Amino acid sequence: MSGAQAVRHDNPATILANPSVQRVLAALAAAQIVTEIIVHAEPTHSSQAAADVLGIDVAQIAKSVIFRARASDRVVLVIASGANRVNESRVVAQIGEAIGKADAGFVKERTGFSIGGVAPIGHLTPPVVLLDETLLRFDRVYPAAGHPNTGFAVHPAELARAVSATICSVV
């Protein structure tokens, strides 16, 4: 039989070999963050789905929200608690520039990640980074690791240091 075939993405070795996941691993190592990539059998395209799979509170999910700075065309990454909705006016106040939504093409081209697996580290283009101060109440938070089936555990202050984030209110 010839032609395209569906590829299952639940093979941990295949997922860990993904170039985006490998870029995250390299960035974590360069930042001297010791952690392991967690591979889920199913994609976790939402904060709630990731929290359910991990058995944690949704507030411990460190979601990566990408915006596009309007004047400079910079990538703006907001690392927010999965329980919070980002207040765009607070982001604008922090970076001093109007922002807009980033479409899937912009996200992929500038970060190297597809929506649903955007990691906070290992971006192709270094972003302006803001980290939701509410994440600091946790000993560990869980961001994506470059693929919708992945994540990793990290102390939020350690993550902020690794990505040169400004810690602030984004909600």
Side-chain angles (χ1 to χ4, degrees):
M1 181 172 158
S2 63
Q5 294 182 355
V7 177
R8 291 184 52 110
H9 291 288
D10 58 354
N11 181 329
T14 302
I15 292 170
L16 290 172
N18 179 289
S20 294
V21 176
Q22 288 296 306
R23 199 170 60 253
V24 170
L25 281 167
L28 289 167
Q32 299 180 333
I33 294 177
V34 178
T35 189
E36 293 182 2
I37 301 298
I38 302 164
V39 179
H40 317 295
E42 298 295 325
T44 54
H45 289 288
S46 71
S47 296
Q48 189 62 61
D52 291 347
V53 166
L54 293 167
I56 60 172
D57 189 294
V58 71
Q60 286 181 268
I61 298 299
K63 64 183 175 184
S64 295
V65 183
I66 302 291
F67 294 98
R68 184 179 204 157
R70 289 198 178 140
S72 66
D73 206 38
R74 295 181 298 172
V75 177
V76 179
L77 165 62
V78 178
I79 304 168
S81 167
N84 294 337
R85 181 172 171 83
V86 175
N87 180 328
E88 292 178 29
S89 63
R90 292 209 175 179
V91 175
V92 169
Q94 281 293 323
I95 70 167
E97 184 177 352
I99 59 170
K101 299 287 185 199
D103 64 24
F106 178 85
V107 172
K108 181 69 172 175
E109 176 187 321
R110 297 294 187 84
T111 70
F113 303 117
S114 297
I115 292 175
V118 178
I121 193 167
H123 290 226
L124 296 177
T125 304
V128 175
V129 186
L130 305 178
L131 186 128
D132 181 352
E133 65 188 7
T134 67
L135 290 171
L136 295 176
R137 70 182 188 203
F138 299 108
D139 184 49
R140 292 272 177 244
V141 295
Y142 297 83
H147 185 283
N149 292 58
T150 63
F152 63 96
V154 64
H155 190 280
E158 190 176 26
L159 178 59
R161 173 197 55 79
V163 298
S164 301
T166 299
I167 298 170
C168 59
S169 175
V170 296
V171 296

